[in-house]
């Protein structure tokens, strides 16, 4: 099985070859001396079949390799990050659905089924990989952007607002509620931008461009948002990585207004 790409996770950490750019082993985990708890094919990358693998929690990285948190790969190749994110979500789904939530019986993975599923042999309950829809919205006011900082972000980084859709809520209701709760303002003129799977933890980010309507900035929950502000084109803070839909929305806004200042640059 040499030549396949093996996305092997120890908990939240992915096994990577040391050095740049980010890359995963082409030798199977067993060949590397690792105990495999689960494996599942997750697509192709550069013409090679890719496998998601869960290894034992006490696994040691083989020589020339290291386990690394996926968040440290935000600046990696977009196609690589996409496959790694899918692999992470499949491994997490397997780890958290080993027993039926209805009757407690150990579930069985239906390998080869479409879509991928786990079934309870006792009560018949079926569990698919979890997907949590979340709205991410870039709030605009003339030539300014409303950007905010979560305590969990890398130092200095600001991004668009985001939040999960709650039961019984439309995506438009989510947008208005999240913006109101997080920064105290009202928005309108909601326009769809695009979507992106996001593996933290298992989200589908649904992006929208929205216009400021009313209100003054007031942070609602400091544990969610520690700072927020209106940013003009010539004084942007550190932005999210290019692999994210948040950055794609900001890039689109900047392109509409003549691009980034030379002192900033899209690679920052």
């Amino acid at each position: 099985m040499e030549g396949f790409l093996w996305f092997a996770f120890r908990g939240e950490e992915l096994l990577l070859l040391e050095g740049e750019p980010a890359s995963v082993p082409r030798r199977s985990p067993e060949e590397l001396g690792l105990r495999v708890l689960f494996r599942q094919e997750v697509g192709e990358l550069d013409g090679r079949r890719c496998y998601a693998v869960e290894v034992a929690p006490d696994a040691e990285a083989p020589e020339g390799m290291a386990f690394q948190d996926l968040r440290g790969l935000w600046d990696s190749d977009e196609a690589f990050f996409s496959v790694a994110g899918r692999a992470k979500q499949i491994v997490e789904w397997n780890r958290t659905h080993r027993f039926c939530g209805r009757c407690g019986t150990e579930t069985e993975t239906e390998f080869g089924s479409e879509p991928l599923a786990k079934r309870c042999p006792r009560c018949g309950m079926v569990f698919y990989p979890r997907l949590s829809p979340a709205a991410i919205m870039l709030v605009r006011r003339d030539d300014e952007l409303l950007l905010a900082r979560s305590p969990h972000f890398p130092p200095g980084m600001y991004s668009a607002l985001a939040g999960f859709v709650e039961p019984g809520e439309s995506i438009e209701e989510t947008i208005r509620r999240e913006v109101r709760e997080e920064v105290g303002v009202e928005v309108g003129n909601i326009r769809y931008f695009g979507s992106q799977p996001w593996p933290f933890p298992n989200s589908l980010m649904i992006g929208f461009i929205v216009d400021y309507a009313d209100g003054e900035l007031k942070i609602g929950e400091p544990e969610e948002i520690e700072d927020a502000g209106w940013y003009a084109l010539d004084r942007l803070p550190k932005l999210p990585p290019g692999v994210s839909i948040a950055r794609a929305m900001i890039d689109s806004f900047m392109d509409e207004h003549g691009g980034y200042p030379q002192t900033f640059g899209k690679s920052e």
Side-chain angles (χ1 to χ4, degrees), residues 11-252:
E12 297 289 315
E13 297 177 316
L14 174 64
L15 182 63
L16 296 171
L17 303 179
E18 291 181 338
E20 297 293 338
S23 56
V24 295
R26 296 183 182 181
R27 296 172 59 197
S28 72
E30 290 92 343
E31 291 177 296
L32 296 173
L34 300 173
R35 182 164 61 94
V36 172
L37 305 179
F38 169 80
R39 81 178 72 216
Q40 173 66 40
E41 188 169 355
V42 290
E44 291 189 357
L45 180 63
D46 298 330
R48 296 179 180 274
R49 291 165 64 184
C50 301
Y51 282 84
V53 175
E54 180 185 5
V55 298
D58 59 351
E60 296 290 338
E63 184 177 356
M65 305 179 193
F67 285 102
Q68 183 176 329
D69 191 290
L70 202 58
R71 293 180 185 273
L73 303 181
W74 276 358
D75 293 326
S76 64
D77 175 76
E78 185 173 353
F80 177 87
F81 186 84
S82 177
V83 176
R86 172 171 168 77
K88 176 182 180 296
Q89 292 180 76
I90 295 299
V91 168
E92 180 68 13
W93 163 74
N94 175 72
R95 185 165 55 236
T96 57
H97 289 80
R98 288 176 176 164
F99 297 92
C100 177
R102 176 186 285 171
C103 70
T105 303
E106 187 171 359
T107 58
E108 298 175 347
T109 304
E110 298 191 333
F111 291 104
S113 67
E114 278 294 336
L116 184 63
K118 280 179 171 287
R119 182 181 297 275
C120 174
R122 181 180 179 186
C123 71
M125 188 76 176
V126 178
F127 301 92
Y128 300 104
R130 179 181 174 185
L131 191 64
S132 302
I136 180 166
M137 40 278 178
L138 185 64
V139 183
R140 303 163 49 149
R141 185 178 69 179
D142 299 324
D143 62 350
E144 293 181 312
L145 295 177
L146 174 55
L147 301 175
R149 170 168 174 76
S150 164
H152 311 295
F153 284 175
M157 193 186 87
Y158 283 67
S159 186
L161 299 172
F164 289 105
V165 180
E166 294 186 352
E169 205 173 45
S170 70
I171 197 78
E172 292 82 4
E173 290 171 333
T174 298
I175 291 167
R176 294 188 178 95
R177 174 184 57 76
E178 284 288 343
V179 175
R180 185 184 305 119
E181 289 178 354
E182 292 190 344
V183 294
V185 302
E186 301 295 329
V187 296
N189 192 21
I190 298 170
R191 291 95 74 197
Y192 175 72
F193 177 85
S195 63
Q196 178 186 35
W198 195 244
F200 308 111
N202 42 40
S203 310
L204 176 64
M205 305 300 294
I206 309 169
F208 294 86
I209 306 297
V210 303
D211 291 340
Y212 165 81
D214 189 37
E216 297 293 328
L217 291 181
K218 182 180 180 182
I219 296 174
E221 298 182 9
E223 64 274 13
E224 296 289 335
I225 299 294
E226 66 179 17
D227 189 36
W230 293 104
Y231 288 89
L233 308 181
D234 59 353
R235 62 177 192 90
L236 293 171
K238 181 179 180 180
L239 299 178
V243 72
S244 67
I245 190 173
R247 184 58 179 266
M249 292 194 292
I250 295 170
D251 285 352
S252 177

